Amino acid sequence: MKFFFAEKIQRLLKLLALVTTAVAMVVSSSGAFSHHAFSAEFDANQPIELTGVVTKLELVNPHSWLYFDVKQADGNVANWGFEFGAPFSLKQKGLTKASLPIGTQVTLKGFRAKNGLNFGYAVTATLADGRVFTTGGAPDAPANQQKSSAAKP
């Protein structure tokens, strides 16, 4: 009789483990399906490179944002916002809030927003001291940019 109950308990535990694993997989993947793609907001045919001074860095999920003032050709200053990857991903690459305090000069390479406003998707951030950080995280973002065709503000 003991053997029968022990066998039943083992089956129930295996079933519970299987159901728990399946539920965990569904829950963890649901965010990926609802998340927007690079191509939904940004234009791969409009590479851009801008240099400016950091005004704000938001390390928030699912995307971080860097805002910086860029001096335009006419002398006016325009504030731009660039989407970065998730905070944990940036931290793994060595980029933290301490890396980009307000007032830091930074050059961003990436792609312009489709809506034509002062927004973009950053692929790399280069600091004045020469450090370069990979900032993007979208799996469908273009891997390489053509420097010669970089858009100007």
Side-chain angles (χ1 to χ4, degrees):
M1 193 74 157
K2 281 184 176 180
F3 178 73
F4 177 74
F5 285 117
E7 188 177 311
K8 241 184 173 178
I9 289 173
Q10 279 186 328
R11 283 186 190 166
L12 285 173
L13 288 174
K14 284 181 182 179
L15 180 61
L16 180 62
L18 181 65
V19 169
T20 302
T21 302
V23 168
M25 289 174 65
V26 168
V27 169
S28 67
S29 67
S30 65
F33 292 118
S34 65
H35 196 246
H36 71 83
F38 165 88
S39 59
E41 293 186 49
F42 305 104
D43 190 343
N45 295 316
Q46 289 192 53
I48 189 167
E49 179 175 344
L50 297 172
T51 299
V53 177
V54 175
T55 58
K56 184 177 186 180
L57 177 62
E58 295 179 336
L59 295 175
V60 295
N61 282 314
H63 305 286
S64 298
W65 282 86
L66 177 112
Y67 297 90
F68 67 133
D69 285 339
V70 177
K71 191 171 187 179
Q72 301 180 125
D74 64 5
N76 290 322
V77 174
N79 191 259
W80 282 74
F82 271 74
E83 181 178 299
F84 282 19
F88 183 74
S89 172
L90 295 172
K91 186 176 181 180
Q92 286 181 317
K93 297 169 186 172
L95 184 66
T96 64
K97 205 153 187 131
S99 308
L100 289 168
I102 293 172
T104 302
Q105 181 176 323
V106 63
T107 299
L108 299 182
K109 291 182 184 179
F111 297 91
R112 223 179 153 147
K114 285 183 173 181
N115 65 13
L117 299 176
N118 290 352
F119 294 102
Y121 173 86
V123 176
T124 62
T126 304
L127 304 184
D129 64 9
R131 288 182 292 161
V132 179
F133 297 96
T134 302
T135 55
D140 64 331
N144 297 313
Q145 297 182 64
Q146 298 173 357
K147 290 182 182 179
S148 60
S149 63
K152 301 295 178 197

